[in-house]
Amino acid sequence: MPSLSKFKRWLKKRVLLSKGRGLLRLSEPVEIRMPVHLTARGLIRIGKGTSLGDKGAPRIGDGAITLQTRNTKAEICIGSGCAFSNNITIVATDSITIGDLCLIGDQVMIMDSDFHRLNPKERAQPAEPMAVRIGNNVWLGSRVMVLKGATIGDNSVVAAGAIVVSEVPPNTLVAGIPARIIRTLD
């Protein structure tokens, strides 16, 4: 097993873009198989045994994974043993938590804010964020979107192309726009 200092030097070569004064905390080992674009003004924490990118999965361009904490209070916390595919975007202005052993498909987007208000007269003002919580052993299929305030319970599956805007109970398969319960999983 390489030392932590060697791992950090190797990581610096793989991270394409790193802006901000936030914190990146990695539990060794974390496998980085695709470029990672970081904007860390807050905290980004990645658990032990998580892999970012998959060389065999579909890619657009370089297949980069984008992780952004847009202010000093924002947090992205990714659990241990997760597997991320390619072209994934996670943007937090408040808090996004992903549990342990999650599978995240290609082109998934997870955001805890609309970033702008809906009212045309207030559109230039920032929207209120709402935390996103994804439980343990969750599978997000390709092109899933998880939007502000969504909660996905343990052991659930979100079918490809679904948009999650509310609560998904544990042990549930959901699909569609917006995501609706298809069935309970044993």
Side-chain angles (χ1 to χ4, degrees), residues 46-113:
I46 302 174
K48 181 178 181 179
T50 289
S51 62
L52 300 174
D54 183 341
K55 291 187 183 219
R59 287 188 256 195
I60 296 173
D62 62 5
I65 295 168
T66 300
L67 303 173
Q68 287 184 6
T69 51
R70 290 198 168 183
N71 63 60
T72 57
K73 294 180 182 178
E75 291 186 349
I76 296 173
C77 297
I78 299 169
S80 298
C82 296
F84 285 71
S85 189
N86 303 326
N87 305 303
I88 295 167
T89 302
I90 302 174
V91 181
T93 58
D94 179 32
S95 173
I96 296 175
T97 303
I98 299 172
D100 297 332
L101 304 172
C102 291
L103 303 174
I104 311 296
D106 65 290
Q107 298 182 50
V108 167
M109 293 186 86
I110 304 170
M111 300 177 287
D112 68 358
S113 177

Side-chain angles (χ1 to χ4, degrees), residues 111-142:
M111 300 177 287
D112 68 358
S113 177
D114 296 328
F115 305 106
H116 303 281
R117 295 186 184 187
L118 294 177
N119 183 328
K121 294 177 182 175
E122 299 174 344
R123 199 157 290 152
Q125 298 173 23
E128 258 327 289
M130 293 174 64
V132 170
R133 302 278 178 253
I134 299 172
N136 297 318
N137 197 33
V138 170
W139 176 14
L140 302 180
S142 295

